[in-house]
């Protein structure tokens, strides 16, 4: 008769965001058994992270994205600040709800689309001390007419997609956590599209809930001629830079993912 009394019970970790197909890098190996939170309900960000083997718990931030864009001297700081507020809000909320099961890592991101001077002489100051024209943020279109206006402005031109990524992790010093951030920039070049193609895209409705009025990973890809930079960043999350960022934190931050 076979006896099972000598067999050991295998206990799986309570939290394990690392999927089987993930590369066995030092940072991803360190995340095994950790509580990792994505402070976003974006399906695109979840899917990008899963592609590279990370499936964090999803806890959307309640932070109202009302930071004044005009209050930032450098517009690229705007998405970083928003991402930071999102990450801190979720981290503090989860610690207050259950101090015994605090997150080991909270990830937040914010992506914005900025106007960008077209390549060539128009993007070069006329005088040595003359600043380039200020960049404006391209919000989500309010209706089809607004979406068409955006696409006509972008047609044959360039916009800049900027994603700020902030992470929060516990440390011993007050206030009990540390914040680290990166930003990624990608230039999107639009083809000189026929008016009929722009009209058809607007009628599809895909761009109505997208900053800049287009989605490169969908039908909006037909409007784009090329990009300079990370494609995933335009979709919503700069995965390559993020995972390199984790490796840097693991090397430089003593408290990062410490046991």
């Amino acid at each position: 008769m076979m006896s099972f009394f000598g067999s050991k019970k295998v206990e799986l970790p309570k939290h394990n965001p690392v999927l089987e197909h993930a590369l066995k890098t030092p940072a991803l190996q360190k995340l095994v058994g950790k509580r990792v939170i994505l402070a976003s309900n974006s399906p695109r960000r979840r899917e990008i992270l899963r592609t590279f083997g990370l499936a964090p718990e999803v806890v959307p931030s309640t932070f109202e994205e009302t930071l004044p864009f005009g209050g930032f001297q450098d517009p690229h700081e705007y998405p970083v600040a928003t991402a930071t507020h999102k990450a801190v809000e979720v981290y503090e909320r989860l610690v207050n709800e259950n101090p015994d099961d605090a997150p080991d890592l909270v990830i937040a991101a914010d992506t914005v689309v900025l106007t960008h001077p077209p390549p060539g002489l128009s993007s070069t100051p006329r005088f040595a001390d003359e600043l380039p024209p200020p960049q404006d943020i391209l919000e989500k279109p309010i209706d089809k007419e607004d979406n068409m206006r955006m696409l006509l402005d972008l047609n044959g031109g360039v916009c800049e997609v900027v994603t700020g990524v902030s992470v929060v992790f516990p440390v011993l010093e007050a206030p009990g956590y540390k914040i680290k951030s990166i930003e990624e920039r990608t230039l999107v070049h639009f083809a000189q599209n026929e008016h009929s193609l722009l009209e058809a895209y607007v009628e599809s409705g895909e761009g109505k809930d997208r900053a800049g009025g287009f989605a490169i990973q969908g039908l909006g890809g037909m409007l784009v001629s090329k990009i300079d930079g990370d494609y995933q960043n335009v979709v919503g999350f700069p995965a390559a830079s993020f995972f390199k960022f984790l490796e840097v934190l693991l090397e430089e931050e003593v408290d990062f993912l410490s046991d």
Side-chain angles (χ1 to χ4, degrees), residues 86-243:
K86 289 179 179 179
V88 170
E89 185 278 321
V90 168
Y91 183 85
E92 290 182 339
R93 171 157 45 104
L94 294 180
V95 169
N96 289 332
E97 287 177 357
N98 189 354
D100 295 328
D101 193 23
D104 297 291
L105 182 67
V106 174
I107 306 162
D110 186 57
T111 301
V112 298
V113 180
L114 303 175
T115 59
H116 191 273
L121 294 177
S122 58
S123 62
T124 305
R126 290 178 297 170
F127 305 102
D129 59 348
E130 183 179 354
L131 296 175
Q135 291 179 272
D136 294 323
I137 191 168
L138 297 175
E139 304 282 3
K140 298 175 183 178
I142 58 176
D143 52 29
K144 289 183 177 180
E145 289 74 18
D146 193 36
N147 198 171
M148 189 64 178
R149 178 193 60 78
M150 286 184 176
L151 295 181
L152 286 171
D153 287 344
L154 291 171
N155 202 31
V158 184
C159 69
E160 184 178 32
V161 179
V162 185
T163 300
V165 179
S166 293
V167 298
V168 174
F169 53 93
V171 296
L172 294 177
E173 302 86 16
Y177 58 82
K178 185 175 282 190
I179 307 161
K180 291 291 181 177
S181 304
I182 59 170
E183 56 148 284
E184 185 79 15
R185 309 179 190 183
T186 304
L187 294 181
V188 179
H189 298 253
F190 285 79
Q192 191 65 54
N193 299 293
E194 296 291 336
H195 196 276
S196 58
L197 178 58
L198 299 180
E199 284 184 331
Y201 183 72
V202 169
E203 287 301 319
S204 76
E206 183 183 75
K208 67 180 180 181
D209 193 37
R210 315 282 181 162
F214 72 98
I216 195 172
Q217 73 275 19
L219 298 171
M222 293 181 67
L223 311 179
V224 174
S225 61
K226 69 173 183 176
I227 67 169
D228 293 329
D230 183 1
Y231 169 81
Q232 301 285 7
N233 183 50
V234 185
V235 178
F237 194 84
S241 294
F242 170 72
F243 286 106

Side-chain angles (χ1 to χ4, degrees), residues 38 40 42-49 109-111 236-237:
L38 177 62
S40 169
S42 166
R44 294 175 293 281
R45 292 189 179 121
R46 292 202 308 270
E47 187 58 34
I48 290 172
L49 286 170
D110 186 57
T111 301
F237 194 84

